[in-house]
């Protein structure tokens, strides 16, 4: 089904928003927020139309718009740790918006944003470490850490713990998937082996039946030939008998004068 005018406008605006999100923007930049709000309105209008796209395509549009909206909300957060956590739960699109894209633009934006937040966290961490070292050198007090820096360190520990937990969970899921894949492979192997055995048995039975059918066909053909020969001889005898009978009849009963 051909795309409607509203869907084409949605795709163009969505591609423009993805391009803006991939760029470094000033804090006063307002266009992306307005564009995303317009995307939400267009998406609601598209859902109300009778000739709307397929459900999979609509879900993909909604996924991309929600990603851009969540990206804007994450950028409004104060600390880089909160931004990193917020970006961690964002779900980019699965398919490209335009035919020119090889990979989805939202996925590229997601990776860029995660790298930017990681860099900011690293910079804050290095700054915190430098501040601690300077404080220890000049005041000889190893525990003199400002409250803001303590909070940043605690947030960083929480992020690192969160990433570690996610990695452990991912490793467990991968092991579980590997086990299930192995079990499914073994089960499929057994099923295929049984099917091959059944197929081989069926082929042997078919060959045996074909040989029997061939023998019966030859026997029936020979029987048919014998039956035809006997019938031919019987017909010849009957014809000869009728011929001789007619001659005798003519001789015995002469023609009336």
């Amino acid at each position: 089904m051909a795309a409607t005018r509203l869907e084409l406008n949605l795709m163009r605006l969505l591609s423009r928003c993805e391009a803006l999100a991939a760029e470094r923007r000033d804090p006063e930049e307002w266009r992306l927020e307005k564009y995303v709000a317009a995307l939400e309105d267009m998406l609601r209008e598209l859902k109300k139309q009778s000739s709307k796209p397929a459900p999979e395509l609509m879900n993909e549009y909604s996924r991309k718009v929600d990603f851009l909206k969540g990206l804007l909300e994450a950028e409004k957060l104060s600390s880089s740790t909160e931004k990193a956590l917020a970006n961690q739960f964002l779900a980019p699109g699965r398919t490209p918006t335009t035919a020119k894209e090889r990979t989805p633009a939202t996925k590229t934006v997601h990776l860029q944003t995660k790298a930017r937040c990681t860099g900011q966290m690293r910079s804050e961490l290095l700054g915190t470490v430098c501040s601690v070292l300077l404080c220890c050198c000049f005041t000889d007090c190893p525990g003199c850490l400002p409250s803001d820096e303590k909070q940043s360190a605690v947030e960083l520990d929480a992020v690192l713990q969160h990433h570690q937990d996610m990695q452990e969970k991912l490793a467990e899921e991968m092991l579980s998937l590997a086990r299930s894949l192995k079990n499914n492979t073994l089960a499929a192997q057994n099923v295929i082996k049984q099917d091959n055995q059944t197929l081989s048995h069926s082929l042997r039975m078919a060959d045996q039946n074909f040989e029997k059918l061939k023998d019966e066909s030859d026997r029936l053909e020979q029987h048919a030939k014998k039956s035809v020969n006997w019938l031919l001889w019987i017909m010849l005898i009957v014809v000869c008998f009728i011929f001789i009978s007619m001659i005798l009849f003519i001789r015995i009963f002469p023609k009336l004068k």
Side-chain angles (χ1 to χ4, degrees), residues 29 89 152 163 166 204 215 226 229 246:
E29 178 65 40
F89 296 102
S152 300
H163 282 287
M166 289 188 64
R204 286 196 299 269
D215 294 339
K226 291 180 180 179
N229 292 333
M246 288 297 295

Side-chain angles (χ1 to χ4, degrees), residues 29-38 72 76:
E29 178 65 40
W30 54 270
R31 290 181 298 171
L32 183 58
E33 188 172 357
K34 297 296 182 182
Y35 289 169
V36 172
L72 290 174
K76 294 178 181 179

Side-chain angles (χ1 to χ4, degrees), residues 178-217:
R179 293 192 193 97
S180 62
L181 181 61
K182 181 180 178 181
N183 294 331
N184 292 335
T185 304
L186 293 175
Q189 186 177 0
N190 294 330
V191 171
I192 293 173
K193 187 176 180 180
Q194 294 176 0
D195 291 343
N196 288 333
Q197 293 176 355
T198 305
L199 182 61
S200 300
H201 180 69
S202 299
L203 289 175
R204 286 196 299 269
M205 293 296 295
D207 293 336
Q208 293 176 2
N209 293 332
F210 179 75
E211 294 295 333
K212 291 180 180 180
L213 182 62
K214 187 177 179 181
D215 294 339
E216 294 296 331
S217 298

